[in-house]
Amino acid sequence: MGTSASSTAPVIVWFRQDLRIDDNPALSAAAESGAPVIPLFIWSPEEEGNWEPGAASRFWLHHSLTELTISLARLGSPLIIKRGYSLSVLRDFAKEVGAHAVYWSRRYEPSTIVRDKNLKGALVNDGVDARSFNANLLFEPWQVLNAKNEPYRVFTAFYKAATALVTPPAPIDPPKKLVAPVKKVRSVAISDLMLLPKINWTMGLNDAWQPGEKGAKKNLEIFLDVLNRYVPDRDCPGVSGTSRLSPHLHFGEISPRTIWHAVRDTGKAGESKTTYLKELVWREFAHSLLYHFPHTANSPLRPEFERFAWRNDPDLLERWQKGATGYPLIDAGMRELWHTGWMHNRVRMIVASFLVKDLLLPWQQGAEWFWDTLVDADLANNTLGWQWSAGCGADAAPYFRVFNPVLQSQKFDPDGEYIKRWVPELSGLPKAWIHHPWDTPKEVLKAAAIELGKSYPQPIVDHAFARQRALEAFKQLKPVAAK
DNA sequence: TGAAATGTTGGGGCG
DNA sequence: ACGCCCCAACATTTC
């Protein structure tokens, strides 16, 4: 507001992970100013450090940008796309178009915070009104602190404190129209960003998803219809009982406030409602942790884990990645991920436990694979999930908690529907054997046209043995962890 | 947001 | 009928 700009000096709205029109405070503030609005996206993967968007994220981004362009053009001012370092692009562009202000929605990744802080200073120096807004979180990470002004390390405490603090504000309406700048502005074409893979392996992703704001709203509607069955269904990967909103949330195609209020306002579903809202708060917890402990994307929160002797075995890693472990549920999950860019959360926990505890491979290798293959790859959520599984994070699984891939399979995919969908070579097996094919009588295997070791692998590790090995290895850390 | 090992109980088969 | 044993079924402890 400090600068006295003429009414024709445009406002730049810098889009990043808020690729939506609804409940976008930066966009609405720009529109309400009455000035021309230039929506801008800058493709600058180099600035993400170790965590450049992976292949699945790029696929998603391509389509999400396409959708956003259409929506913004409809409102009156199409999306401008640039490539290069955010700081120099923004300064040059602001100068070029004579913008008096740049608005954006906050991001919370450590390297992004550093970058944005710099950038804000530089813009202010240039006499530009640089302003950031909260579009992506229900609670700012610096708001939710304990009595000693420290971040919470236990979810339940965080949850209580956060929800007692404030009710997330209601979502705001989208602008009705945008005033385009007088002078035409040049933009890079989305296809020139080369976000899509050269070899087209994205058919499965295309079938499973509709990136963009419209797809996000559709998934929310579908989910609200089954919300009252969330508690019983959410753990069953063969049932569509989860929201499938994670990629939409990551790219900001729908705001957590919109979801929060939509869920709260549905009449039915008592227990399911609070359980789901809790999941949204887990996302907040993850962002808070990464904000307050910025090193944890790459290193364990609990320092004693730095010394853990993870194994190095590229062959085992690849068998896990490709879904060839010989454990049907594990393989089903890894293949669902490869095929659709997403994996059911219950199965994520199981395959993570398997990588870390059965194979003793470092959680960072799992995190990297998820980062590349998930359409919902999100640094905060990914970090929390993997550190939780490895037991080296906040409120993490105790070292002795080892998932049994067969028991989990029998419990949550009792009829083997999920397994049959993603591991079709086992679809001829009766459900008595489908969770542990290696025990199957010869004649049953023959009838199902399965030759273990050929058409489907033998288990790459014996779970009972692996569990014992993990317990001993992880127990070593305990005395160090105690004090 | 585990699972295995160990302990306890009680019904039923059987001498 | 009685005691003994076996072993589900459930509970508790341990990793």
Side-chain angles (χ1 to χ4, degrees), chain A residues 44-91:
Chain A
S44 57
E46 308 80 4
E47 292 179 277
E48 308 288 334
N50 290 337
W51 300 98
E52 282 194 24
S57 295
R58 289 173 186 239
F59 154 85
W60 192 284
L61 181 61
H62 175 95
H63 294 291
S64 193
L65 287 175
T66 306
E67 290 298 307
L68 182 67
T69 305
I70 294 169
S71 312
L72 287 168
R74 206 171 280 152
L75 281 179
S77 190
L79 182 67
I80 303 302
I81 294 169
K82 302 271 178 193
R83 210 202 170 299
Y85 282 88
S86 303
L87 173 66
S88 46
V89 170
L90 274 173
R91 291 180 82 178

Side-chain angles (χ1 to χ4, degrees), chain A residues 205-380:
Chain A
L205 278 70
N206 269 319
D207 290 345
W209 301 102
Q210 183 185 342
E213 198 165 2
K214 233 187 295 171
K217 284 178 183 160
K218 196 184 280 178
N219 274 5
L220 176 59
E221 287 309 312
I222 293 171
F223 178 56
L224 289 177
D225 275 345
V226 298
L227 176 62
N228 59 336
R229 290 200 47 82
Y230 182 64
V231 166
D233 285 354
R234 67 183 192 131
D235 276 322
C236 302
V239 178
S240 301
T242 64
S243 73
R244 298 180 69 93
L245 285 167
S246 52
H248 300 292
L249 267 169
H250 171 75
F251 286 94
E253 298 166 356
I254 191 164
S255 91
R257 296 185 286 252
T258 299
I259 301 172
W260 177 278
H261 284 278
V263 167
R264 266 209 2 190
D265 294 348
T266 49
K268 44 196 171 179
E271 193 196 6
S272 280
K273 207 193 271 194
T274 44
T275 303
Y276 179 74
L277 291 178
K278 229 173 221 184
E279 295 300 323
L280 275 187
V281 180
W282 268 101
R283 176 176 173 274
E284 303 283 321
F285 186 46
H287 283 78
S288 171
L289 285 169
L290 185 58
Y291 175 83
H292 291 289
F293 305 101
H295 65 288
T296 56
N298 305 299
S299 316
L301 177 69
R302 295 167 61 176
E304 67 270 20
F305 274 80
E306 295 272 21
R307 271 182 268 130
F308 190 81
W310 300 107
R311 297 200 300 171
N312 176 30
D313 192 327
D315 184 52
L316 277 184
L317 177 66
E318 192 183 336
R319 303 266 300 234
W320 176 81
Q321 291 171 332
K322 295 291 151 66
T325 67
Y327 285 89
L329 184 67
I330 305 282
D331 294 341
M334 299 310 292
R335 296 185 200 184
E336 179 185 32
L337 172 61
W338 184 248
H339 201 256
T340 70
W342 186 84
M343 195 196 302
H344 188 280
N345 188 249
R346 162 64 50 180
V347 189
R348 290 190 199 195
M349 293 191 286
I350 301 166
V351 302
S353 174
F354 189 80
L355 181 82
V356 166
K357 301 204 166 161
D358 285 54
L359 301 181
L360 290 179
L361 293 176
W363 62 271
Q364 288 95 332
Q365 291 183 4
E368 280 167 26
W369 181 251
F370 272 26
W371 185 257
D372 195 41
T373 52
L374 278 171
V375 289
D376 64 31
D378 180 277
L379 197 58

Side-chain angles (χ1 to χ4, degrees), chain A residues 141 144-162 281-282 284-296 299-305 384 387-388 391-397 481 483:
Chain A
V144 189
L145 299 171
N146 66 17
K148 291 198 294 201
N149 244 18
E150 289 164 348
Y152 289 97
R153 289 162 178 260
V154 175
F155 173 73
T156 314
F158 177 89
Y159 173 77
K160 282 186 190 153
V281 180
W282 268 101
E284 303 283 321
F285 186 46
H287 283 78
S288 171
L289 285 169
L290 185 58
Y291 175 83
H292 291 289
F293 305 101
H295 65 288
T296 56
S299 316
L301 177 69
R302 295 167 61 176
E304 67 270 20
F305 274 80
L384 176 138
Q387 294 224 23
W388 184 90
C392 60
D395 207 3
K483 278 142 203 165

